[in-house]
Amino acid sequence: MSSSDSDHDRDHDRDRDLTSRSAAGLAAAVRSGEVSAREVVDAHLARIEALDGSVHAFLHVTADGARARADALDAQRRSDGPESLPPLAGVPVAVKDVLCTRGVPTTCGSRILEGWLPPYDATVVARLEASGAIAVGKANMDEFAMGSSTENSAFGPTHNPWDLGRVPGGSSGGSAAAVAAGFAPLALGTDTGGSIRQPAALCGVVGVKPTYGRVSRYGVVAFASSLDQVGPFARTVEDAALLLEAVWGHDPADSTSIPTPCEPILPGLERGVAGLRVGVVRELTEVDGIQPEVSAALEQAVKLLEQAGATLDSVSVPSAIYGLPAYYLIAPAEASSNLARFDGIRYGLRVVPGEPGSANAAAMNGATRHAGFGAEVKRRIMLGTYALSAGYYDAYYGQAQRVRTLIIRDFDRAYEHFDVLLSPTTPTTAFPLGDKVDDPLAMYLSDVCTIPTNLAGAAAMSIPAGLDGSGLPIGVQVLAPGLGEAVMFRVARALELGFGFAARARPGGPA
Amino acid sequence: MTPPEPSTPSTPSAPTTPSETDAPDTIEVGLDGHADGWELVVGLEVHVELATATKLFCGCANEFGQEPNTNVCPVCLGLPGALPVLNELVVEYALRVGEAFHFDVPAQSVFARKNYFYPDMPKNFQTSQYDEPICLGGHLDVDGVRITITRAHMEEDTGKTTHVGGGGRIHDADFSLVDYNRAGVPLLEIVSEPDIRSSEQAKAYASELRATLEAIGVSDVKMEEGSMRVDANVSVRRRGSDGFGTRTETKNVNSIRSLGRAIEYERARQIEVLEAGGRVVQETRHWNENDGQTHSMRSKEEAYDYRYFPEPDLVPVAPTPEMRAAVRAAMPELPAARRDRLVAAWAITERDAAALLGTPGLADYAEAAVSALEALEALEALAVDGARGGSPRDIVNWVNGEIAGHLNETGSSPAALSLAPAALAELVGLVAAGTISRNQAKDVLGEALADGRRPARIVTDRGLAQVSDESSLGSVIDGILAANADAVAEYRAGDDKARKKKRGFFMGEAMKALAGQGNPQVLNRLLDEKLEGNG
Ligand SMILES: [Zn+2]
């Protein structure tokens, strides 16, 4: 990356200021003419250039495309006036590498897709562009979104901006780290079992997993189709709502997309929580090995909401404890089928074994998958293949689907008495790189609080709730029934005001 | 198409029954017409490509014969991230099939993934239906026998692999090319119960199924092009036993006739294996049209585990009552009713009607020709000089005769004939009006089929029209009688035998003078009048 001539007079403080601002603030500044979209983009690209060598939030930075897009928006403002600008004009966004971007490398963190240039944009990417937001790069991730630390990326891990020796969480670790490090005020991730909320918690940012079907999955490289959902990262609750509202809504290209209109979030964001009933989920709070500071943060969240006028009580969602095992049958089962298409025939990596001309399609297929997939992906493909096998289907996949039905029922019962639910996002704060790579089960447990929401197809988000004794961010999770985003965001906003985290905290690490 | 009636028991001419068993006095001959003590059991799996404008899950054109890999998009190529959207017309077509074959259509049906690796299958799973198909428990009556149809379900077709080098076979090919134009084309798989007991019955079932699918407009049912593919599950068992033998599945059957041959071959092969003390291997076999045999496909006969599970990218299919009512209301006439109607309206035989319905498009062609014939009659020959009269039966005779023969020879379809139905009506009219003889008409038909000229035009071009005009024929006869006064005198004096001989002579002279184009009926009458009248 190199700065263009017009950037020479820009000083470091100015860049630092622009990369600290919220998306809402940047959009307003671009609209008012205080800064140009190009200045905003250049400031963020400069910060990426300076710091991403140590964070590794990006697999691919689209500097040229971002500058061209910024220039086009600036030209539009000059010719058609500020009113002509779309709502997020000039706001940089990091895009998880699982989202297809036309002509821009999309690897899903896997060798098997290295060099693949999608011929089409994911619906959310197209909507992002229509909103005026500017994609600055493709964010690192656990290979095919399988993982909770971004260490499963074939292209090396992302480092937590708060402590470079620790993981950012995963699988959307690159997106979370990019927002935490000031590389972009917004990012898109995907959440299959907590892949947005867990890294948001570990990186001290807001992360939202919307209701299943609320955001289009068209162009999202599938991990587990019945669980995957795209959602926003931001440093403020308002920014997260802005991004969600830019990309959500019915998409005829996704058959599981919900056709009912979206209830806008922003108009009610500041309405407060007075009179709302909030339930603290016992099964997601009394988790084995939970860090005391995480429990303390949750207690503080309860107090903050009570002070703001909400009614708090404890609630049981009994089947939630079966979420983790059910998830690790359903998700790998679907993944084993979704990932079958990576066979070396049409796109991506192709490995031809043996003497030239001696291999057949099956041998090429096997060699390609052997070389192209990492250990965790292989593990889950095998798990899923087994779970779907004749004679085991009922005991595994079938049983897991029955658990899923129970979880949905139990949440429904809870929501008869509560508007939203509350829990920690993760049992612990960010763990050191390498700590759990040899212990898949320990790694899986870091998603224990987030998984039930995916199984239920409901909404949930993680809000920064302060720092632990080591200066690492803690997250609390607000859970809402399906299509309950508006009330969920109101509660999140109240917690944001109460914790005052966004206003004061910046990662100390690389900044 | 009619299965043989159960014959009366016959005495075997040369009993070969092993001596240690009691030789029966008579041998039962089964429905299948065989007297060897074995009963054939057949079930058919029919895949039909639905003739929708677009594919099952994307907007790509569903058309045959395009440049490879031109009708493709991220969805039907199974690109990462692409998602299917169900083509509603496919559901409508499936509902038509549901009506036509008296299926139950459950309130909802579910797509499932059938997982297996194959290079021409872009996702390495086929989106199909499994335990909740759209149609369950239908039937089709074939010559008075009810064949139960287990189910019909929607699924996507695969691409097409071409093996290059090494004789085009997969095992020794240099490389393979895959064309994904067909990937994602909508299919309906229609699976019968093993209710079929003879190859003739299998052929009749497949033929009636094809005619029905054609009638309801869901497919062009071309077996040669693969838009209708029939796989035969064949087993044999001892007559009188009620268990089933081990079955084989025979694929690559490209015509109704081949279906009968393949089943007969499989029957004989399995009996030979069993009578030699062997076991029939459950396997997929490939029919070879050239050697008239089925061949094991050499696949390691492991039982495939397709790991079916519900397709998470699609929602259940739940046709509304309104949709079903609309389909029911719009159901066209089915083959059985159509045969009855044509028999009654055209005074043709059941056999003729069955033949018309037995070839896709042939009955439509005949009906169009009959309409044109009626129009010709209504116009009182204003349209075409010298074409008048003729009956639907004449049309049917041509259609089931020369035209069906031409289609068989050329492999063409009725719709593609260069002889339009109206032109056939014209031809029939020309014969009926006496303008040309039936023999001449055959030549005219041959030329019309070859170059598309109208029959009346061919008649004119070749000067074929019979001379029927009385005054011109009369003057020709007058000339001949005048020039042969002796013969006339001999005629008048002669006995019956001599008169007949002379009369033949006069006719021959007249025809010679008319270059064979005199209308024989008119000539005969005029000759009689002039010979007798003058006497
Ligand atoms: Zn397509």
Side-chain angles (χ1 to χ4, degrees), chain A residues 47 78 181 200 224 435 443 472 474 495 511:
Chain A
R47 188 166 171 87
R78 282 193 299 276
D435 216 30
M443 189 75 91
L472 296 169
I474 299 168
L495 287 170

Side-chain angles (χ1 to χ4, degrees), chain B residues 55 58 60 72-73 76:
Chain B
K55 292 184 179 181
C58 64
C60 289
V72 291
C73 73
C76 58

Side-chain angles (χ1 to χ4, degrees), chain A residues 401-419:
Chain A
Q401 291 291 15
R402 285 186 283 277
V403 167
R404 190 171 187 175
T405 307
L406 288 180
I407 289 175
I408 292 168
R409 187 201 62 190
D410 287 355
F411 271 117
D412 283 349
R413 285 181 181 166
Y415 287 121
E416 283 171 16
H417 306 286
F418 297 95
D419 298 298

Side-chain angles (χ1 to χ4, degrees), chain A residues 120 219 255 337-338 340 343 346 390, chain B residues 80-82 84 113 115 122 124 180 305:
Chain A
Y120 73 107
S255 306
S337 174
N338 284 330
D343 58 9
R346 289 160 300 274
Chain B
R113 292 186 183 178
N115 295 285
N124 285 319
Y180 293 103
D305 182 357

Side-chain angles (χ1 to χ4, degrees), chain A residues 21-364:
Chain A
R21 290 202 207 176
S22 69
L26 287 171
V30 168
R31 191 176 311 276
S32 73
E34 180 206 333
V35 290
S36 66
R38 177 60 185 262
E39 287 171 307
V40 171
V41 163
D42 280 338
H44 285 86
L45 289 174
R47 188 166 171 87
I48 292 168
E49 188 179 25
L51 300 175
D52 199 39
S54 50
V55 177
H56 195 220
F58 289 101
L59 293 175
H60 184 82
V61 176
T62 50
D64 292 344
R67 289 197 180 99
R69 180 78 183 121
D71 289 344
L73 285 165
D74 288 334
Q76 181 183 333
R77 187 181 183 284
R78 282 193 299 276
S79 62
D80 302 342
E83 306 76 28
S84 77
L85 291 177
L88 292 175
V91 179
V93 185
V95 175
K96 188 178 183 181
D97 205 32
V98 76
L99 302 174
C100 286
T101 42
R102 179 195 269 268
V104 174
T106 301
T107 67
C108 300
S110 181
R111 292 273 174 217
I112 211 160
L113 271 179
E114 207 172 356
W116 182 56
L117 301 178
Y120 73 107
D121 276 329
T123 297
V124 286
V125 170
R127 289 187 180 179
L128 203 61
E129 165 129 3
S131 78
I134 297 174
V136 291
K138 302 300 291 288
N140 198 8
M141 58 185 284
D142 284 301
E143 184 175 7
F144 286 106
M146 297 177 188
S148 308
S149 68
T150 317
E151 290 165 295
N152 293 335
S153 168
F155 307 106
T158 297
H159 300 257
N160 192 318
W162 294 82
D163 177 346
L164 293 175
R166 291 178 184 263
V167 303
S171 66
S172 311
S175 300
V179 171
F183 298 158
L186 300 175
L188 283 176
T190 56
D191 190 314
T192 305
S195 282
I196 290 174
R197 290 160 289 159
Q198 186 257 15
L202 269 48
C203 289
V205 297
V206 178
V208 183
K209 183 251 175 246
T211 305
Y212 183 78
R214 192 82 280 188
V215 182
S216 170
R217 290 187 298 114
Y218 189 78
V220 181
V221 180
F223 162 19
S225 311
S226 74
L227 301 163
D228 295 343
Q229 189 64 190
V230 178
F233 287 94
R235 289 191 294 269
T236 70
V237 170
E238 182 193 13
D239 279 4
L242 273 170
L243 181 53
L244 180 55
E245 290 192 352
V247 298
W248 73 357
H250 184 240
D251 177 11
D254 174 358
S255 306
T256 62
S257 167
I258 298 172
T260 53
C262 304
E263 184 192 348
I265 297 165
L266 288 163
L269 196 59
E270 307 294 345
R271 273 178 56 196
V273 295
L276 288 185
R277 302 160 302 168
V278 180
V280 180
V281 184
R282 208 172 297 137
E283 290 76 9
L284 303 183
T285 308
E286 296 156 8
V287 179
D288 282 346
I290 193 162
Q291 194 176 321
E293 290 149 305
V294 171
S295 300
L298 185 72
E299 276 167 37
Q300 198 194 341
V302 168
K303 283 196 195 98
L304 289 170
L305 291 176
E306 275 177 336
Q307 284 162 11
T311 314
L312 271 293
D313 204 344
S314 174
V315 63
S316 179
V317 181
S319 55
I321 58 169
Y322 303 115
L324 197 76
Y327 174 86
Y328 276 99
L329 291 167
I330 293 168
E334 293 180 8
S336 71
S337 174
N338 284 330
L339 270 59
R341 72 193 62 197
F342 302 104
D343 58 9
I345 290 177
R346 289 160 300 274
Y347 43 77
L349 182 71
R350 172 183 290 181
V351 177
V352 182
E355 294 297 307
S358 70
N360 60 28
M364 186 259 287

Side-chain angles (χ1 to χ4, degrees), chain B residues 74-395:
Chain B
V75 175
C76 58
L77 281 178
L79 292 190
L83 295 173
V85 176
L86 179 60
N87 181 345
E88 283 294 325
L89 194 58
V90 173
V91 177
E92 191 195 313
Y93 281 14
L95 292 178
R96 284 192 211 170
V97 168
E99 284 295 321
F101 299 105
H102 317 281
F103 278 109
D104 285 331
V105 176
Q108 80 165 33
S109 73
V110 172
F111 279 97
R113 292 186 183 178
K114 182 180 185 180
N115 295 285
Y116 63 102
F117 283 87
Y118 206 78
D120 62 19
M121 202 165 52
K123 297 168 291 180
N124 285 319
F125 62 78
Q126 181 189 26
T127 306
S128 179
Q129 296 194 299
Y130 181 50
D131 50 1
E132 295 184 68
I134 189 157
C135 292
L136 279 169
H139 64 259
L140 179 60
D141 292 337
V142 179
D143 298 313
V145 178
R146 175 154 297 183
I147 308 295
T148 301
I149 310 180
T150 319
R151 57 185 280 153
H153 69 253
M154 302 176 278
E155 65 184 22
E156 60 184 342
D157 209 342
T158 61
K160 230 173 186 164
T161 309
T162 309
H163 305 293
V164 181
R169 299 208 318 274
I170 187 166
H171 298 284
D172 36 21
D174 296 330
F175 57 91
S176 303
L177 298 170
V178 192
D179 173 11
Y180 293 103
N181 281 351
R182 203 181 67 179
V185 161
L187 293 178
L188 207 67
E189 180 175 342
I190 303 170
V191 184
S192 87
E193 288 290 300
D195 284 356
I196 295 165
R197 293 290 175 271
S198 73
S199 58
E200 283 302 316
Q201 198 177 37
K203 284 162 63 181
Y205 169 84
S207 181
E208 186 73 357
L209 191 83
R210 183 173 67 174
T212 306
L213 294 168
E214 185 200 359
I216 61 177
V218 299
S219 172
D220 62 12
V221 292
K222 289 179 183 159
M223 286 183 75
E224 328 75 52
E225 288 182 9
S227 62
M228 175 167 154
R229 310 196 273 273
V230 182
D231 300 336
N233 289 313
V234 177
S235 65
V236 296
R237 63 183 174 193
R238 286 284 180 193
R239 227 171 266 295
S241 113
D242 47 7
F244 289 117
T246 305
R247 64 184 163 83
T248 60
E249 182 178 8
T250 296
K251 291 181 180 288
N252 194 42
V253 176
N254 292 324
S255 67
I256 299 278
R257 184 171 161 268
S258 302
L259 174 66
R261 290 176 68 203
I263 290 171
E264 282 300 324
Y265 176 85
E266 235 349 72
R267 178 188 197 280
R269 187 190 67 83
Q270 291 184 15
I271 291 171
E272 195 179 309
V273 167
L274 293 171
E275 290 190 337
R279 282 176 45 244
V280 172
V281 179
Q282 184 168 345
E283 62 182 351
T284 301
R285 298 181 67 86
H286 191 89
W287 168 250
N288 184 322
E289 187 69 42
N290 298 324
D291 67 10
Q293 297 180 1
T294 66
H295 299 270
S296 174
M297 286 177 80
R298 275 203 282 174
S299 54
K300 333 113 234 171
E301 273 311 316
E302 79 220 35
Y304 273 112
D305 182 357
Y306 292 120
R307 290 172 284 118
Y308 280 102
F309 72 102
E311 168 57 272
D313 287 331
L314 290 166
V315 294
V317 182
T320 62
E322 293 73 30
M323 197 171 169
R324 296 196 54 191
V327 164
R328 199 172 301 130
M331 275 309 272
E333 182 184 41
L334 296 181
R338 192 177 192 185
R339 283 192 297 267
D340 291 348
R341 175 172 61 80
L342 296 183
V343 164
W346 293 354
I348 58 174
T349 62
E350 299 261 356
R351 194 188 164 84
D352 271 335
L356 285 179
L357 274 288
T359 300
L362 206 57
D364 286 346
Y365 185 90
E367 289 216 58
V370 168
S371 297
L373 189 68
E374 285 161 358
L376 268 182
E377 280 164 9
L379 289 170
E380 288 289 336
L382 280 178
V384 181
D385 214 18
R388 197 172 310 125
S391 70
R393 202 150 65 180
D394 296 331
I395 297 276

